[in-house]
Amino acid sequence: MISFLMLLALTLAQPVAPAHWCYESQAKITSCTGPSQWTGNCQDNRQSPINIDTTKTILNSTLIPFQFINYDQKKSLSIINNGHTVEVQLDDTIRISGGGLNETYKAVAFHLHWSNSLDKGSEHTINGKSYAMEMHIVHIKNKYHNVSEALSENGNDEIAVLGFLIKSSPQIHSGFANLVENLRNIPYQTNEVGLKEFSLFDLIPKVDKLKNYYRYWGSLTTPECQEKVIWTVFHEPIHLHSDQILEFSRMLYYNKENESKMPIIDNFRKTQPLGNRQIFTSGAGILLPQAWPTLLAPLLTYLLAVFLD
Ligand SMILES: *[C@@H]1O[C@H](CO)[C@@H](O)[C@H](O)[C@H]1NC(C)=O
Ligand SMILES: *[C@@H]1O[C@H](CO)[C@@H](O)[C@H](O)[C@H]1NC(C)=O
Ligand SMILES: *[C@@H]1O[C@H](CO)[C@@H](O)[C@H](O)[C@H]1NC(C)=O
Ligand SMILES: *[C@@H]1O[C@H](CO)[C@@H](O)[C@H](O)[C@H]1NC(C)=O
Ligand SMILES: [Zn+2]
């Protein structure tokens, strides 16, 4: 009898098997672990995403332009619905260096975050303003083989994510067209389809517009939210047509085929407290136009003086 009661007590004491993590939009309608219950480092204080208050960013001259290596390499890659987002795994010959990073990082994959409206969907916000979507290109230090190996190390910069805000525009983005058209072929979790040849440069803004970016140290924005990410959020957004943006929430589902349908909407995490962190901004292209008048005026005065002399 006693052993039966002990057994019963033990059984009751067992935590309920944790449901799989999910976004708030899913937690509202199904049983899963929403953001407030995410485990790992998710409740710590150097989390991502954050709001970027541009009046408080600190200009940092070490934040030089990036070198994008093989971002122009055209490849036929496949896109997968992983039940949280759509993801394209990248060839590890694609790399980044410069950009104030201490070493070269290699690309692993990119994915996106969105809503079913154009006024929200991004993870980072700028001065409290959300964008329609956000694209993340995930990189790890060149010496690592995969993300799990990078996450097993203790530094705060094992992973470098490049974040691109996405804004609606009246024009179709031809670089994204094939990807967007194929979303209908991967409605359910684990669905995968091949894309026509494309390069990352077909998707992101022109390199000369990528000199300006924000930099801070944060985390992955999904469990276990490890605080090992050096973040870059570019000032220049990507412009997609509103139909292209809305196709994500219309065509894609969190669930597997033959399970009850839950559209992927609002697969972004809310902004997290900045705490005592600082956000840096690169200066290229900002400093110069402002500096010109102050440099030019004395120069002209001098030349004029010499000339009139
Ligand atoms: C610029 O960033 C570097 C490297 O992260 C840091 O060591 C330095 O203190 C920063 N400088 C300023 C002026 O914030
Ligand atoms: C570069 O390395 C130094 C020394 O380990 C570290 O303090 C700094 O945060 C690193 N900077 C970046 C951008 O990872
Ligand atoms: C990641 O790379 C390490 C080291 O090469 C390897 O042992 C491990 O199995 C890899 N993990 C995955 C998930 O591929
Ligand atoms: C879903 O249901 C259809 C029709 O019953 C079946 O043909 C298909 O194999 C099922 N798919 C999966 C992934 O179970
Ligand atoms: Zn992301």
Side-chain angles (χ1 to χ4, degrees):
M1 190 63 188
I2 285 172
S3 63
F4 169 75
L5 282 177
M6 279 171 65
L7 202 65
L8 185 69
L10 274 175
T11 312
L12 292 175
Q14 291 292 319
V16 182
H20 197 252
W21 75 266
C22 67
Y23 288 103
E24 197 65 52
S25 51
Q26 292 163 279
K28 276 185 201 149
I29 52 177
T30 181
S31 153
C32 58
T33 308
S36 59
Q37 261 90 49
W38 286 0
T39 54
N41 296 105
C42 299
Q43 314 303 328
D44 292 358
N45 56 17
R46 297 174 66 83
Q47 290 288 294
S48 295
I50 53 165
N51 173 49
I52 296 167
D53 179 342
T54 60
T55 64
K56 294 190 179 140
T57 58
I58 298 166
L59 195 66
N60 192 309
S61 59
T62 69
L63 300 180
I64 59 172
F66 283 91
Q67 279 164 281
F68 297 97
I69 303 148
N70 289 326
Y71 264 56
D72 60 346
Q73 171 184 279
K74 297 220 185 247
K75 279 257 171 135
S76 310
L77 301 169
S78 59
I79 186 164
I80 182 167
N81 175 338
N82 68 13
H84 303 293
T85 179
V86 287
E87 181 175 69
V88 173
Q89 300 204 344
L90 296 168
D91 195 302
D92 68 6
T93 57
I94 299 175
R95 297 193 166 98
I96 48 170
S97 64
L101 302 174
N102 283 331
E103 45 194 295
T104 301
Y105 288 71
K106 63 182 174 193
V108 178
F110 75 82
H111 62 262
L112 299 113
H113 301 269
W114 61 85
S115 181
N116 58 348
S117 68
L118 302 173
D119 58 358
K120 57 183 163 74
S122 67
E123 296 215 294
H124 289 90
T125 59
I126 310 288
N127 300 327
K129 181 181 172 288
S130 294
Y131 282 69
M133 294 185 75
E134 188 166 328
M135 173 176 170
H136 289 156
I137 311 181
V138 179
H139 303 74
I140 54 178
K141 283 184 178 171
N142 214 18
K143 60 187 172 195
Y144 301 136
H145 297 91
N146 52 47
V147 171
S148 20
E149 192 184 347
L151 289 173
S152 71
E153 299 294 321
N154 282 325
N156 62 0
D157 61 356
E158 307 304 338
I159 296 182
V161 182
L162 302 188
F164 296 87
L165 298 161
I166 301 181
K167 194 175 175 168
S168 75
S169 143
Q171 283 191 319
I172 298 280
H173 189 305
S174 59
F176 264 94
N178 185 246
L179 187 159
V180 170
E181 282 156 16
N182 270 287
L183 297 176
R184 63 183 64 240
N185 297 320
I186 52 166
Y188 304 111
Q189 191 186 137
T190 73
N191 290 174
E192 186 169 354
V193 68
L195 299 174
K196 280 189 201 146
E197 280 202 338
F198 72 100
S199 74
L200 289 176
F201 274 164
D202 293 336
L203 306 180
I204 66 175
K206 297 259 174 298
V207 173
D208 60 6
K209 294 192 167 173
L210 299 178
K211 289 176 192 151
N212 294 319
Y213 55 87
Y214 303 108
R215 164 63 43 79
Y216 78 98
W217 279 264
S219 73
L220 295 180
T221 64
T222 57
E224 303 293 315
C225 310
Q226 288 90 338
E227 295 178 333
K228 297 180 179 182
V229 181
I230 179 152
W231 274 96
T232 302
V233 177
F234 291 95
H235 294 197
E236 178 72 16
I238 295 171
H239 296 262
L240 291 194
H241 190 280
S242 53
D243 290 342
Q244 292 183 302
I245 292 171
L246 295 173
E247 195 76 353
F248 286 82
S249 55
R250 287 181 186 142
M251 292 300 156
L252 300 166
Y253 298 91
Y254 287 118
N255 52 279
K256 296 202 168 111
E257 191 180 353
N258 301 338
E259 291 176 353
S260 53
K261 280 188 171 184
M262 266 187 295
I264 305 187
I265 294 173
D266 295 344
N267 60 343
F268 61 89
R269 187 186 195 195
K270 280 208 239 13
T271 56
Q272 304 293 306
L274 182 63
N276 55 17
R277 289 176 289 177
Q278 288 175 323
I279 307 171
F280 298 97
T281 184
S282 64
I286 300 177
L287 191 61
L288 220 51
Q290 280 169 356
W292 265 117
T294 51
L295 289 175
L296 217 54
L299 184 68
L300 284 176
T301 314
Y302 169 77
L303 285 176
L304 211 61
V306 169
F307 181 74
L308 293 175
D309 203 25

